[in-house]
Amino acid sequence: MKKLLLVLFVALGSVAAKAQEIKWMTFDEAQAAQKKSPKPIFMDVYTDWCGPCKILDKQTFHDPKVIEYISKNYYAVKFNAEGQPDVTYKGKKYSNPGYVEGRKGRNATHEFTRILNLQGYPTMMVFDKKGEIINTIVGLHTPEQLLTALQEQ
């Protein structure tokens, strides 16, 4: 009986933990969602080799208050600045022609990053309901720092 209760408790805890996550989507998916139900886009721009990006992902983006705020107020996008998927922005398609599948460490930079005028990684961008960049947040932020930056817009 005790084992059954323990298994049930662990299973319920896992379900609750999974429910507490930001629902990330692609930029194209977020733009399509904006057309149906307008709200701003929050974009996390990262690279696979970026240490602060990993900390931001594991700590700040898993904070319950951050999850709730971003989920309620934005379409959340994860964008790998050295990734392969094409991005369409303001009618123009951007790609990463130099991308090498399976490369370890740094890869070619995606063309879309030039439009974003990135100063470093991680960078978080906020796009208004019309797709215009209205805020750029550069660097590793604690949950409190990120919430303050987002609420000051």
Side-chain angles (χ1 to χ4, degrees):
M1 181 67 169
K2 287 182 182 180
K3 286 183 180 179
L4 179 61
L5 287 175
L6 180 61
V7 169
L8 183 61
F9 180 73
V10 170
L12 288 174
S14 297
V15 170
K18 286 183 181 179
Q20 286 285 330
E21 291 183 359
I22 295 172
K23 304 292 187 260
W24 299 104
M25 57 179 62
T26 68
F27 191 62
D28 287 353
E29 290 169 339
Q31 290 179 105
Q34 269 189 329
K35 291 177 183 172
K36 294 178 183 175
S37 179
K39 69 179 179 178
I41 294 172
F42 173 87
M43 178 188 283
D44 171 34
V45 184
Y46 72 97
T47 65
D48 290 335
W49 51 262
C50 170
C53 299
K54 293 175 185 182
I55 295 169
L56 186 70
D57 195 41
K58 284 186 172 43
Q59 294 178 6
T60 303
F61 293 147
H62 279 85
D63 180 273
K65 290 179 183 175
V66 171
I67 293 167
E68 179 182 357
Y69 189 81
I70 289 176
S71 298
K72 179 180 176 185
N73 295 291
Y74 301 95
Y75 292 112
V77 171
K78 274 236 182 256
F79 176 68
N80 184 346
E82 296 179 351
Q84 185 179 22
D86 291 344
V87 174
T88 303
Y89 180 61
K90 295 186 176 185
K92 186 169 186 220
K93 190 175 188 175
Y94 299 92
S95 63
N96 189 349
Y99 178 81
V100 177
E101 183 75 37
R103 174 180 264 169
K104 301 291 183 200
R106 294 179 189 248
N107 211 319
T109 304
H110 200 286
E111 293 172 339
F112 186 53
T113 60
R114 290 186 200 111
I115 303 303
L116 301 175
N117 288 324
L118 299 179
Q119 299 172 13
Y121 303 111
T123 295
M124 294 155 281
M125 316 285 298
V126 178
F127 297 79
D128 67 14
K129 295 175 185 178
K130 295 180 181 179
E132 299 297 326
I133 298 169
I134 57 171
N135 194 4
T136 301
I137 305 164
V138 180
L140 177 60
H141 283 63
T142 65
E144 296 77 21
Q145 291 170 326
L146 179 57
L147 287 170
T148 298
L150 291 173
Q151 292 166 351
E152 287 177 348
Q153 299 182 67

